């Protein structure tokens, strides 16, 4: 079967259908878009029925609906569960969009709209790949299931419970996800690791009021001084996190892993120039891609307190605040990590100051052995379409639901992304390169047939 000809003949139709989906402002973070969430879920369900899925259901949850679909007519063959999400990020700041975010526009071979690459565009590839095989061959080479949610952009609060209660229905030999990116144009990648996450906010308090720095300066504790000293204690001079026990569960990088990172041939000088930096910074003994893909971090995301208006105000502030997030790897436990950081903070606060800690979101890291046959076949499929075999990477970001999916369903997660790093996901002017729209469907067909 010549699928390249098939997709070329249906290209305009497919693009118009995708534009329909992209026009729906299914923003999960904003309650006023609840009806748009419902509309997007029903649109996806209709397209799955039209694609030829035998069974399509829209399941209500405590939050937004989950769409389930199946086509199970390949006895003795593997079962693949396709995961994706139909919700999108808010569009602010609106004035930075060159064209309206929910009026899809093609410019210079790119499709611009909110959700174009994250994740409606990439999810759409799977629906059309399955539809193409059924139209051309009247049967699928594997059993296919879909699980598509509407809360990924708000950390998937309803999906874990849905997975637990429907584990038998969702059982699969592999979970296929397209919500990541190529390394660069023409250079495909398969993500084998995502860092976990935990966050906390801290407040330092001293006196019961702000004080005059002339009358009291040098004689009472200063909340800002106490906070700065405390935050400095969190790292040593080599860039390592100085919290006791922080690295428990972190695995050493094997020579094979370091070799895989080296294959990316990442240009650190180019990065410095693009960011206007004189030098990069981080844990000694590791390259940039190793630091950001396979090492844990503790970062300050916000530090504030005292007078911040125009001019000067000679005040000793009574309170100061900081927001902290940690990216986690390996077997680091998010809650245990938060506990360790909190103990460190209490143990190192200056005399005369008090500290309160509020813990926030947490998620475990995800890792998978790239030698898994399901991943190796995915790398082969990329090579047949892109002419270059996919590299196995570890990404610094977090997609918490990936670890949950793989753990609850006891199946490998195969992350075959077709986006590009510069496609402005979560930012104004989000877009999807149509070269990967075309090659993505062909790659998915190749992968499913290879299984």
């Amino acid at each position: 079967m010549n699928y390249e000809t098939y997709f070329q003949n249906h290209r305009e139709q497919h693009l118009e259908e995708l534009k329909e989906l992209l026009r729906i402002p299914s923003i999960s973070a904003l309650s006023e878009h609840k009806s748009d969430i419902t509309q997007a879920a029903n649109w996806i369900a209709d397209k799955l029925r039209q694609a030829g899925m035998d069974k399509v259901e829209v399941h209500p949850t405590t939050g937004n609906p989950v769409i389930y679909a199946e086509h199970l007519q390949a006895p003795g063959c593997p079962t693949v569960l396709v995961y994706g999400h139909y919700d999108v990020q808010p569009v602010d700041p609106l004035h930075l969009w060159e064209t309206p975010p929910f009026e899809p526009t093609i410019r210079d071979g790119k499709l611009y709209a909110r959700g174009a690459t994250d994740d409606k565009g990439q999810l759409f590839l799977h629906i059309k790949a399955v539809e193409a095989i059924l139209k051309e061959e009247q049967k699928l080479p594997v059993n296919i299931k879909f699980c598509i949610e509407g809360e990924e952009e708000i950390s998937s609060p309803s999906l874990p419970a849905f997975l637990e209660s429907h584990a038998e229905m969702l059982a699969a030999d592999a979970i296929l996800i397209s919500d990541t990116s190529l390394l660069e144009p023409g250079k495909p990648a398969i993500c084998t690791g995502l860092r976990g996450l935990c966050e906390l906010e801290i407040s330092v308090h001293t006196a019961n009021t702000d004080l005059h720095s002339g009358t009291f300066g040098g004689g009472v504790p200063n909340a800002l001084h106490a906070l700065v000293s405390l935050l400095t204690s969190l790292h040593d001079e080599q860039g390592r996190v100085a919290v006791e026990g922080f690295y428990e569960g972190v695995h050493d990088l094997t020579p094979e892993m370091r070799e895989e990172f080296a294959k990316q041939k990442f240009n650190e000088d180019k990065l410095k120039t693009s960011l206007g930096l004189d030098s990069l910074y981080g844990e000694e003994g590791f390259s940039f891609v190793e630091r950001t893909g396979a090492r844990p971090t503790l970062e300050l995301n916000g530090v504030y307190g005292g007078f911040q208006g125009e001019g000067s105000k000679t005040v000793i502030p009574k309170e100061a605040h900081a927001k902290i997030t940690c990216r986690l790897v390996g077997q680091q436990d998010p809650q245990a990590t938060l506990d360790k950081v909190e103990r460190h903070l209490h143990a190192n606060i200056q005399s005369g100051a008090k500290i309160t800690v509020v813990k926030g979101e947490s998620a475990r890291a995800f890792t998978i052995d790239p030698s898994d046959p399901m991943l190796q076949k995915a790398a082969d499929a990329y090579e047949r379409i892109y002419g270059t075999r996919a590299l196995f990477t570890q990404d610094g970001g977090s997609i918490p639901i990936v670890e949950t999916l793989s753990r609850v369903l006891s199946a490998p997660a195969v992350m075959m992304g077709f986006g590009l790093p510069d496609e402005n996901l979560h930012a104004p002017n989000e877009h999807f390169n149509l070269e990967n729209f075309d090659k993505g469907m062909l790659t998915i067909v190749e992968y499913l047939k290879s299984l």
Side-chain angles (χ1 to χ4, degrees):
M1 300 295 174
N2 190 333
Y3 283 96
E4 187 170 2
T5 300
Y6 173 90
F7 287 123
Q8 286 176 350
N9 291 340
H10 291 80
R11 190 174 195 263
E12 292 308 311
Q13 174 198 334
H14 290 165
L15 284 173
E16 287 305 312
E17 289 181 23
L18 177 54
K19 287 179 181 179
E20 287 180 18
L21 177 59
L22 293 172
R23 290 190 185 101
I24 304 172
S26 48
I27 303 171
S28 53
L30 303 176
S31 59
E32 62 261 36
H33 288 282
K34 195 71 175 177
S35 62
D36 300 310
I37 287 286
T38 301
Q39 182 185 358
N42 290 333
W43 191 97
I44 293 286
D46 287 342
K47 289 302 173 187
L48 287 166
R49 294 185 186 101
Q50 293 171 23
M53 300 301 287
D54 292 330
K55 178 181 179 182
V56 180
E57 300 171 338
V58 178
H59 289 262
T61 70
T62 54
N64 297 333
V66 172
I67 302 124
Y68 171 78
E70 66 179 38
H71 190 286
L72 309 178
Q73 296 186 28
C77 296
T79 298
V80 175
L81 174 71
V82 177
Y83 163 82
H85 64 92
Y86 60 85
D87 64 320
V88 299
Q89 283 276 324
V91 298
D92 314 76
L94 187 60
H95 70 278
L96 294 181
W97 285 81
E98 293 184 27
T99 50
F102 296 109
E103 293 181 16
T105 306
I106 294 176
R107 301 194 301 273
D108 302 321
K110 303 170 184 177
L111 175 59
Y112 286 81
R114 173 58 88 227
T117 190
D118 181 24
D119 177 47
K120 289 177 177 178
Q122 297 201 57
L123 169 63
F124 185 79
L125 303 181
H126 291 274
I127 298 174
K128 291 301 157 183
V130 168
E131 180 181 76
I133 298 173
L134 284 171
K135 284 189 174 182
E136 290 293 281
E137 304 184 43
Q138 289 73 54
K139 63 179 181 179
L140 294 176
V142 293
N143 301 295
I144 290 285
K145 299 177 179 180
F146 282 84
C147 177
I148 304 169
E149 66 155 322
E151 298 180 340
E152 194 275 343
E153 299 294 4
I154 54 172
S155 301
S156 306
S158 304
L159 192 57
F162 181 85
L163 295 176
E164 294 281 359
S165 60
H166 296 83
E168 185 175 349
M169 179 181 80
L170 298 167
D173 297 294
I175 304 159
L176 182 55
I177 303 170
S178 294
D179 199 9
T180 52
S181 66
L182 284 71
L183 283 171
E184 57 186 55
K187 197 171 182 179
I190 296 171
C191 177
T192 63
L194 293 163
R195 291 195 289 190
L197 176 74
C198 62
E199 61 184 29
L200 67 156
E201 295 187 30
I202 64 175
S203 298
V204 172
H205 300 271
T206 51
N208 57 10
T209 184
D210 287 353
L211 296 168
H212 189 289
S213 67
T215 305
F216 292 93
V220 297
N222 181 314
L224 277 173
H225 291 182
L227 178 63
V228 170
S229 173
L230 184 61
L231 298 180
T232 301
S233 75
L234 290 168
H235 292 86
D236 65 20
E237 294 182 357
Q238 287 72 46
R240 283 178 60 86
V241 179
V243 173
E244 184 178 353
F246 182 83
Y247 289 91
E248 290 178 9
V250 177
H251 304 307
D252 292 334
L253 289 183
T254 64
E256 293 77 15
M257 293 170 65
R258 304 198 89 154
E259 180 182 356
E260 202 65 33
F261 278 115
K263 287 179 183 177
Q264 297 183 31
K265 298 179 180 178
F266 187 84
N267 190 327
E268 295 191 1
D269 290 332
K270 182 179 179 181
L271 176 66
K272 285 189 292 185
T273 300
S274 69
L275 296 178
L277 293 171
D278 294 327
S279 64
L280 301 178
Y281 175 80
E283 188 181 2
E284 285 187 5
F286 299 94
S287 67
F288 175 82
V289 289
E290 290 170 345
R291 290 170 182 165
T292 57
R295 298 296 295 171
T297 66
L298 186 154
E299 296 286 355
L300 308 180
N301 307 124
V303 179
Y304 53 100
F307 177 67
Q308 298 175 54
E310 184 179 357
S312 174
K313 182 181 181 183
T314 54
V315 65
I316 297 174
K318 68 169 186 172
E319 61 184 70
H321 311 272
K323 297 177 183 287
I324 297 173
T325 53
C326 300
R327 298 287 178 172
L328 310 177
V329 301
Q331 300 302 313
Q332 283 181 294
D333 182 286
Q335 291 303 319
T337 301
L338 286 173
D339 292 341
K340 293 168 187 173
V341 174
E342 183 175 17
R343 283 196 296 270
H344 176 97
L345 294 170
H346 282 289
N348 289 274
I349 189 67
Q350 277 186 1
S351 175
K354 300 181 181 66
I355 185 172
T356 57
V357 176
V358 177
K359 298 173 183 176
E361 180 184 356
S362 66
R364 286 186 171 273
F366 167 78
T367 56
I368 185 171
D369 186 346
S371 67
D372 188 291
M374 291 292 187
L375 275 69
Q376 290 294 319
K377 286 183 177 291
D380 293 338
Y382 274 117
E383 184 172 21
R384 286 192 286 274
I385 301 303
Y386 282 83
T388 302
R389 199 168 193 269
L391 293 178
F392 295 104
T393 63
Q394 295 193 45
D395 292 357
S398 304
I399 309 177
I401 200 61
V402 173
E403 187 274 338
T404 307
L405 279 162
S406 184
R407 174 172 44 82
V408 173
L409 302 181
S410 299
V414 184
M415 285 185 276
M416 298 181 70
F418 297 99
L420 284 172
D422 63 353
E423 289 181 334
N424 290 11
L425 62 165
H426 293 204
N429 301 309
E430 179 182 348
H431 58 275
F432 190 23
N433 281 259
L434 294 184
E435 177 188 7
N436 295 319
F437 175 85
D438 298 327
K439 289 184 175 179
M441 285 184 280
L442 287 169
T443 305
I444 293 166
V445 169
E446 284 288 330
Y447 179 58
L448 296 178
K449 290 174 71 68
S450 76
L451 296 180

